[in-house]
Amino acid sequence: MKLSILIPVYNEEKLIRQVTEHLIKELELNHIDYEIVLVNDNSTDKTLQILEELSLKYSNLKVV
């Protein structure tokens, strides 16, 4: 069974990378099959750019 995590984001450029990578690290350390869906709500900062970079790095991460 896969765990699905949905995270809405809006102007989170300062924290989204650290939060996402920490979450992924914990899920993988605990051998949890997962997907993370990050939903950008038209952020006006660099959030979308960061999310796109993360999605290229992590295959279980999706950006909407």
Side-chain angles (χ1 to χ4, degrees), residues 1-13:
M1 183 172 163
K2 183 183 263 189
L3 174 65
S4 294
I5 301 170
L6 177 67
I7 304 173
V9 295
Y10 178 75
N11 290 346
E12 299 291 341
E13 72 180 340

Side-chain angles (χ1 to χ4, degrees), residues 9-48:
V9 295
Y10 178 75
N11 290 346
E12 299 291 341
E13 72 180 340
K14 293 181 182 175
L15 291 176
I16 195 62
R17 184 182 310 274
Q18 294 86 351
V19 169
T20 303
E21 290 185 336
H22 180 74
L23 177 59
I24 290 170
K25 178 181 173 187
E26 290 300 316
L27 291 165
E28 290 181 354
L29 282 174
N30 290 290
H31 307 285
I32 298 172
D33 188 21
Y34 69 93
E35 70 173 350
I36 300 173
V37 180
L38 294 161
V39 181
N40 182 37
D41 190 17
N42 294 317
S43 295
T44 57
D45 62 0
K46 294 182 181 180
T47 299
L48 182 57

